[in-house]
Amino acid sequence: MARQSQIQIFFVSLAESAISFYFLPRVFPTTTLAGTFLIFLLINWSFYFVYLLIIYPFFLSPFRHLPKPGGSYGPIIAHGPIMFSQPPGSAFLRMMKEVPNDGIIHYRSFFHEDRLLLTEPAQIGDVLVHKSYDFEKSPWIRTFLRQFLGDGLLMTEGDEHKHQRKQIMPAFSFRHIKELYPVFWSKSVELCGAIKAELLEKKDGVIELNHFSTQVTMDIIGLAGLGRDIGSLRNADDELIKNYEEILEPTAEKGIYFVLHLMFPLRLIKMLPWKLNERVKITTKSLKRICREFVQEKKARMKMQSEEQIDILSILLRSNAFSDDGLVDQLLTFLAAGHETTSSAFTWASHLLALNPDVQKRLRAEIHENIALPRDISSEKIDIAGLLESLPYLNAVCNETLRLYPTIPVSSRVATRDTSICGQYVPAGTLSFIVPWAINRNPRLWGEDAEKFRPERWIDPGTGRANYIGSADSNYSFLTFLHGPRSCIGEKFARAELRALVAVFCGSFEMQMADPNKMVKPGGTITSKPIGGMWLRLHPVAW
Ligand code: HEM
């Protein structure tokens, strides 16, 4: 319920009770001023609820004629639980399959609040690209994430966002990513070395990959983002890793914590005697301190060294566009957005390969055929970018993984002013859902086998080369990085990193699920991680 309306009701009730009490004493002869106020509050609330739950949604809402799902849980709950479905985004996919529509499905959330689900490329393009500054991230999500990310690129809106994005963009250009490939490659080789060392200590060949994956992607963002080898693969107790693992580990308690942030003001949640509040405070404080130290260290090193550094922080420092606090916020953003996302994509790639031995075999053959020895290509002056980007099956496997397991499965936007989506009037404040999990798996856009892992859809049958649209008709059928001015700035970085990780890992190990009968489920609040980790049985292969 809108907080603003509650405040209005409070003051209107106050005015009505004062007028009645002082000017119409015969109407309420036996009550006190407080009693009269309570009576008016109750009457006004009742009218407000009838308006909110019945009159507005069924007779006034501009969306009342749009197609809707069935099976509402009544006016208070309505279809609200949809957004908590597991895996995240799966209920939206069901809705897309079941409700015939022309690009927008309307459903009612808690207290019959209007929600839109965008289902077709034209509507998605309108919100993400053509009118992107009419729509912002929802304030609840921003309040929740700002605790961990400060006011970095991910959290800002409007002109401030345009300014920051322009300053940061050069650090993510293709030329710059090409220079970073040797970092991605050598860290992937180091990862496989660390896994081999752990396998030597184990008889059953079983390891939990997600932990390794978080370590290697943290090391990569450390080197590529800060020019500093965090070395978490060598030091499993690294403070940075421990903090992020604590924050991001999917648990039911954290799910409830996140949901409460969507429903109640931050200040109220912070007042609760909840241990998680204390842990969030401690971990975020520690992350900020570490980032502040990174910035100071980097500034001191840049003064001493004349050689130009290629990491993201050096580029931001050279731009002179950010204060020290601003840089800390950007670092918090890059560390969080830049490691957990690719880590999750890599973990899901290994899962899909473990479930599909034929794909795994074909990919390994392509890698071994084109890359004689993994260590050689980081030491020789080889164009790793050119080599990896030219391998069709490697690119197809990565694209298909990113399609089936988008790390951010659900995103949303709030209209900041009265606007429209493909001609449908949308009043300010309306929340629209853009759901990569559902769009990427929608049979209308990807065909009947949309939910199958089929890397071949990313290979042109005529030329045998990788294509960049899959078998879909539109760019907007693939939403893993979204599109437009608020799309993922790290997309090229992430794709390059994933190529290197998958190539070295699949080239080095044969993989199976440790327990082939156990379903691995995605969970998590903002990003999607395997619940309980990713347990694989690995056999090193000759390379
Ligand atoms: C597989 C890996 C990745 C995926 C799937 C991914 C996905 C996304 C998505 C969906 C968004 C938009 C979120 C929204 O607006 O709701 C986003 C934004 C962003 N991502 Fe990524 N990301 C990945 C890797 C990275 C990496 C490696 C970096 C940095 C090194 C990064 C940095 C960012 C930043 C800074 C934004 C905010 C951009 C803006 O608002 O202008 N991401 N990412």
Side-chain angles (χ1 to χ4, degrees):
M1 238 183 313
R3 221 175 293 160
Q4 213 183 347
S5 312
Q6 297 299 320
I7 295 169
Q8 280 167 356
I9 289 175
F10 181 87
F11 283 110
V12 168
S13 308
L14 203 62
E16 287 168 342
S17 52
I19 292 168
S20 310
F21 188 78
Y22 291 114
F23 299 108
L24 304 167
R26 271 193 232 148
V27 183
F28 300 97
T30 54
T31 52
T32 58
L33 178 59
T36 321
F37 170 68
L38 276 181
I39 291 169
F40 274 102
L41 199 62
L42 266 177
I43 294 172
N44 288 333
W45 254 344
S46 309
F47 276 123
Y48 178 63
F49 271 110
V50 171
Y51 173 80
L52 195 77
L53 301 180
I54 298 166
I55 298 176
Y56 183 79
F58 291 101
F59 301 99
L60 301 173
S61 164
F63 308 122
R64 61 192 188 279
H65 304 299
L66 287 175
K68 294 171 189 38
S72 165
Y73 292 106
I76 308 284
I77 307 237
H79 283 105
I82 277 177
M83 62 183 290
F84 311 124
S85 63
Q86 292 293 333
S90 55
F92 290 109
L93 175 59
R94 229 178 5 258
M95 227 199 261
M96 282 184 195
K97 287 182 184 169
E98 288 170 4
V99 181
N101 67 88
D102 290 324
I104 306 182
I105 295 174
H106 169 231
Y107 73 91
R108 299 189 181 105
S109 186
F110 296 108
F111 296 101
H112 270 177
E113 261 199 280
D114 286 327
R115 295 283 184 266
L116 301 181
L117 171 64
L118 309 186
T119 66
E120 292 285 333
Q123 282 71 10
I124 291 165
D126 232 15
V127 170
L128 293 182
V129 181
H130 311 125
K131 295 183 183 153
S132 71
Y133 286 101
D134 281 4
F135 296 91
E136 288 184 348
K137 295 198 177 80
S138 84
W140 313 286
I141 300 276
R142 287 217 305 270
T143 312
F144 178 71
L145 287 180
R146 194 172 273 128
Q147 302 178 79
F148 310 100
L149 304 179
D151 280 314
L153 184 66
L154 197 63
M155 292 297 99
T156 50
E157 294 289 350
D159 288 343
E160 177 58 23
H161 173 262
K162 278 187 204 160
H163 170 74
Q164 287 193 12
R165 184 132 177 153
K166 199 170 155 209
Q167 302 301 329
I168 295 170
M169 209 60 193
F172 290 96
S173 66
F174 178 68
R175 186 184 66 81
H176 185 232
I177 301 301
K178 213 173 150 187
E179 290 173 344
L180 293 174
Y181 259 98
V183 171
F184 302 149
W185 189 266
S186 56
K187 278 291 167 192
S188 306
V189 172
E190 193 180 327
L191 163 77
C192 292
I195 293 176
K196 277 178 190 159
E198 177 155 326
L199 287 177
L200 285 179
E201 291 169 16
K202 297 198 146 191
K203 284 203 186 87
D204 58 1
V206 171
I207 59 128
E208 197 286 297
L209 187 68
N210 200 57
H211 182 66
F212 279 106
S213 169
T214 308
Q215 287 174 322
V216 70
T217 51
M218 180 57 90
D219 281 357
I220 288 175
I221 193 72
L223 266 176
L226 316 170
R228 175 185 157 140
D229 193 353
I230 295 170
S232 57
L233 272 172
R234 297 186 296 274
N235 170 20
D237 290 332
D238 179 76
E239 196 185 357
L240 210 52
I241 287 283
K242 285 216 138 135
N243 278 321
Y244 278 116
E245 282 195 338
E246 181 173 342
I247 291 172
L248 295 162
E249 181 61 28
T251 61
E253 187 188 4
K254 282 186 207 139
I256 295 167
Y257 191 67
F258 174 66
V259 170
L260 289 181
H261 277 79
L262 304 185
M263 301 167 97
F264 300 102
L266 182 69
R267 242 176 300 155
L268 195 71
I269 296 167
K270 292 287 165 210
M271 279 158 61
L272 298 176
W274 196 346
K275 211 173 152 206
L276 204 48
N277 271 333
E278 192 54 30
R279 291 308 308 158
V280 167
K281 209 163 134 191
I282 292 170
T283 43
T284 48
K285 206 168 150 197
S286 149
L287 286 173
K288 276 197 178 134
R289 176 185 48 75
I290 297 172
C291 286
R292 205 163 291 123
E293 285 165 11
F294 282 153
V295 172
Q296 297 311 330
E297 222 177 84
K298 183 67 167 185
K299 276 177 131 178
R301 243 186 306 153
M302 279 176 79
K303 270 193 196 141
M304 312 255 293
Q305 289 170 343
S306 53
E307 200 183 314
E308 198 166 277
Q309 304 286 307
I310 57 164
D311 57 88
I312 297 169
L313 180 55
S314 299
I315 294 176
L316 296 190
L317 274 166
R318 279 201 296 276
S319 78
N320 273 328
F322 299 97
S323 65
D324 281 9
D325 283 347
L327 284 169
V328 168
D329 285 353
Q330 299 303 344
L331 281 195
L332 283 170
T333 302
F334 291 130
L335 285 175
H339 94 279
E340 185 52 32
T341 44
T342 325
S343 158
S344 152
F346 171 54
T347 306
W348 289 116
S350 73
H351 175 60
L352 289 167
L353 287 171
L355 292 178
N356 294 274
D358 292 345
V359 175
Q360 199 186 129
K361 234 188 203 161
R362 184 171 161 189
L363 176 61
R364 191 170 303 111
E366 183 186 76
I367 292 162
H368 287 182
E369 209 172 280
N370 288 278
I371 302 166
L373 262 181
R375 276 187 194 284
D376 283 358
I377 79 164
S378 22
S379 58
E380 286 174 24
K381 293 265 173 244
I382 284 184
D383 172 16
I384 308 179
L387 178 59
L388 294 188
E389 286 173 22
S390 72
L391 300 181
Y393 209 59
L394 172 64
N395 285 283
V397 166
C398 291
N399 286 339
E400 187 69 343
T401 304
L402 289 166
R403 181 181 76 83
L404 283 174
Y405 288 94
T407 315
I408 300 176
V410 178
S411 192
S412 60
R413 294 290 186 265
V414 175
T416 53
R417 59 187 72 133
D418 291 351
T419 179
S420 63
I421 302 174
C422 290
Q424 165 65 51
Y425 169 68
V426 175
T430 306
L431 187 65
S432 300
F433 280 93
I434 297 163
V435 187
W437 176 277
I439 290 289
N440 289 5
R441 290 171 173 246
N442 187 347
R444 249 198 49 67
L445 304 170
W446 291 93
E448 280 313 307
D449 64 354
E451 295 202 60
K452 280 219 171 89
F453 178 62
R454 197 169 66 78
E456 288 72 19
R457 70 177 91 233
W458 295 92
I459 296 180
D460 210 10
T463 62
R465 292 225 187 112
N467 70 54
Y468 290 94
I469 194 167
S471 52
D473 292 331
S474 158
N475 271 341
Y476 296 112
S477 305
F478 178 82
L479 289 187
T480 302
F481 298 98
L482 297 188
H483 293 278
R486 295 309 303 248
S487 65
C488 175
I489 201 169
E491 175 174 356
K492 290 194 193 80
F493 184 115
R495 284 180 179 277
E497 188 181 0
L498 187 63
R499 271 181 207 113
L501 284 166
V502 171
V504 181
F505 189 64
C506 184
S508 305
F509 299 104
E510 261 175 32
M511 59 205 97
Q512 296 162 323
M513 293 312 295
D515 179 354
N517 299 319
K518 195 171 160 205
M519 277 271 288
V520 184
K521 289 192 188 137
T525 43
I526 304 284
T527 57
S528 131
K529 286 175 67 136
I531 297 172
M534 186 65 74
W535 294 89
L536 297 178
R537 192 180 308 281
L538 300 179
H539 306 279
V541 293
W543 187 8

